[in-house]
Amino acid sequence: MSRSYIFSSESVGEGHPDKVADTISDAILDACLAIDLKSRVACETFVKSNVVVVGGEITIPKLQNKKLGTTKPIDEVINVGQIIRNAVRGIGYTNADDVFHADQIFINNYLTIQSPDIAQGVDAAEAEGKKHGEQGAGDQGIMFGYACDETPELMPAPIMFAHRLGRELTRIRKAGKLAKWLRPDAKSQVSVEYVDGKPTRIVNVVISTQHSADVSHAEIEKFCIEQVIKKVLPKNMLTKDTEYLINPTGKFVVGGPQGDSGLTGRKIIVDSYGGMGRHGGGAFSGKDPSKVDRSAAYMGRWVAKNVVAAGLAAKCEVQFAYAIGHPLPVSVHIDTFGTGTISDDKILDAVLDVFSFKPADIVKQLNLLRPIYSKTTNYGHFGKINDPDITWEITNKAEALKKAVK
């Protein structure tokens, strides 16, 4: 007997308050890495009304010499205010009626230098009580990676469809030709019916987009259905029964940080697999690659995607865990949900033979010490297959995995 169910995933636009916060945090991270690839960054951002608050720990060794006791305040090293305003301007909060406006926001900066106690646990050099001379994990925690054969990106269909809608809304808004009433804040959601584990049709689509006050709901609804949904979602999955819910409250003029607060790391399911694959709980944005919350999650995606690309499974989830300061994962687990062409144990053996999960090796294998992270912030950290900087999407280990299982 066939089994059917409906699975939904959401995405959010660049102007969503939480994504504004993520964008600022990643912009500050990239600015630090552009100065010194050895920068240590953990930057949190809070936005509300016309206020931006940034806090966290940053060390830029090239410019902050803590050994000589001549550490400089962060604002003497990077222009935090300018970075924040440029990030907000890039999102599009520049309209005359924006309460949250790139040139008018008030900025509170609480960034300090990274704790030496954390640094010594992560640094490769020997430290008191440390049993090895290798770079350790920047924190304890569990990480997951996931891939499946539902889309060309080897991602779950619902989250990729939701991202497509948000990306197209932003493209049109920033082009400035059609729908000049569009504003930066937006959310999208797609519900897909699965039959025997395969996506078959789109049951409903939800779009909520901020707009200027001088446009009718009927115009917004027609535009979103005809110029966005039907242009980017698979035509064979949209049926006469597909339901379209466009700005369901009827009005969305007040949006962004004016209407809601935003915080770095509050959209981790949007950032990953839309709920289809599990998440370890650690946020990505604002963290340099020594933080395994980010780098190991990228590693997990790379591993899972290569397993699926190698034809070893239709679905693959990898889970691994770390102890702070320790260079090896304390566990690695593979689950193919019964779709593997060989046993999960054999796939795990092949994975451990082909990949290294040491934090320093993750950084090296994926070339993570680069100012590339602003590219990851919006529309998911996974599934961006057309950008060579997003190295965890490359299926360059598929052949090695095939050979390892023979």
Side-chain angles (χ1 to χ4, degrees):
M1 175 181 282
S2 64
R3 175 177 179 257
S4 69
Y5 59 90
I6 298 170
F7 196 94
S8 304
S9 294
E10 71 158 349
S11 181
V12 297
E14 297 170 21
H16 185 283
D18 293 330
K19 275 296 150 194
V20 173
D22 285 344
T23 297
I24 291 170
S25 292
D26 276 335
I28 291 173
L29 167 62
D30 277 349
C32 296
L33 290 174
I35 296 170
D36 188 345
L37 296 180
K38 295 181 180 179
S39 295
R40 293 282 168 77
V41 180
C43 179
E44 307 282 351
T45 303
F46 170 78
V47 295
K48 176 57 187 165
S49 299
N50 62 343
V51 174
V52 175
V53 180
V54 289
E57 300 76 45
I58 292 179
T59 296
I60 306 176
K62 188 179 289 186
L63 301 178
Q64 296 169 305
N65 191 340
K66 60 178 180 290
K67 289 184 179 179
L68 298 179
T70 58
T71 55
K72 296 181 180 179
I74 299 301
D75 265 338
E76 292 184 23
V77 177
I78 58 172
N79 191 331
V80 174
Q82 183 180 22
I83 293 167
I84 291 171
R85 293 186 192 281
N86 287 344
V88 173
R89 189 173 294 108
I91 292 168
Y93 281 111
T94 56
N95 297 289
D97 57 350
D98 285 336
V99 170
F100 187 82
H101 189 290
D103 298 324
Q104 299 168 13
I105 50 178
F106 292 92
I107 297 170
N108 297 305
N109 179 4
Y110 300 104
L111 293 166
T112 63
I113 293 171
Q114 184 187 49
S115 161
D117 292 346
I118 295 175
Q120 75 169 1
V122 178
D123 291 340
E126 292 282 358
E128 183 180 354
K130 197 170 182 183
K131 298 178 181 179
H132 55 81
E134 298 184 76
Q135 177 179 329
D139 201 353
Q140 73 171 51
I142 58 173
M143 294 80 201
F144 288 91
Y146 183 83
C148 61
D149 63 0
E150 295 176 11
T151 64
E153 299 90 351
L154 300 186
M155 286 283 288
I159 187 64
M160 289 311 298
F161 294 165
H163 286 328
R164 287 184 197 176
L165 296 173
R167 191 179 290 112
E168 183 65 6
L169 274 172
T170 298
R171 187 194 68 78
I172 293 171
R173 174 175 61 84
K174 290 187 174 181
K177 296 179 180 179
L178 293 174
K180 294 183 178 181
W181 42 264
L182 280 171
R183 293 294 184 264
D185 197 356
K187 297 182 79 172
S188 57
Q189 182 173 285
V190 179
S191 300
V192 175
E193 182 181 29
Y194 284 74
V195 177
D196 291 335
K198 299 294 183 181
T200 58
R201 69 183 181 98
I202 295 173
V203 177
N204 57 61
V205 181
V206 183
I207 291 180
S208 294
T209 181
Q210 186 187 11
H211 57 87
S212 62
D214 57 353
V215 62
S216 69
H217 184 271
E219 182 178 349
I220 297 170
E221 186 173 49
K222 181 179 179 181
F223 168 80
C224 287
I225 294 172
E226 300 299 328
Q227 299 300 320
V228 180
I229 295 171
K230 291 185 177 180
K231 291 290 180 68
V232 302
L233 296 187
K235 291 180 174 57
N236 64 316
M237 294 189 71
L238 295 171
T239 73
K240 61 181 179 61
D241 296 320
T242 300
E243 182 181 19
Y244 303 108
L245 299 168
I246 311 300
N247 280 16
T249 65
K251 184 180 180 182
F252 189 4
V253 174
V254 177
Q258 179 186 359
D260 194 5
S261 61
L263 189 65
T264 300
R266 251 191 340 207
K267 286 292 175 284
I268 58 176
I269 301 304
V270 171
D271 286 344
S272 52
Y273 307 102
M276 187 73 79
R278 285 175 283 193
H279 194 294
F284 303 152
S285 289
K287 298 177 181 178
D288 75 83
S290 73
K291 281 73 173 174
V292 286
D293 279 341
R294 185 171 211 160
S295 57
Y298 292 171
M299 180 69 181
R301 165 63 177 169
W302 188 42
V303 171
K305 187 173 184 181
N306 275 272
V307 168
V308 174
L312 301 181
K315 297 180 183 179
C316 178
E317 183 177 76
V318 56
Q319 188 233 41
F320 44 111
Y322 291 95
I324 188 169
H326 193 65
L328 290 171
V330 296
S331 68
V332 183
H333 173 67
I334 293 284
D335 190 347
T336 64
F337 309 95
T339 69
T341 58
I342 58 175
S343 72
D344 289 359
D345 288 342
K346 288 184 178 180
I347 294 176
L348 176 58
D349 288 341
V351 163
L352 293 175
D353 184 53
V354 171
F355 300 96
S356 172
F357 290 86
K358 291 182 178 181
D361 290 344
I362 291 174
V363 171
K364 184 178 180 180
Q365 289 169 114
L366 295 177
N367 193 18
L368 294 180
L369 285 178
R370 293 172 294 147
I372 59 170
Y373 295 99
S374 291
K375 291 184 174 185
T376 70
T377 313
N378 295 293
Y379 315 116
H381 291 241
F382 310 124
K384 294 174 178 172
I385 59 176
N386 296 318
D387 191 331
D389 283 337
I390 312 300
T391 50
W392 48 96
E393 292 298 319
I394 300 172
T395 54
N396 56 339
K397 294 296 184 181
E399 290 302 317
L401 284 171
K402 290 179 185 178
K403 291 178 182 178
V405 299
K406 289 181 180 179

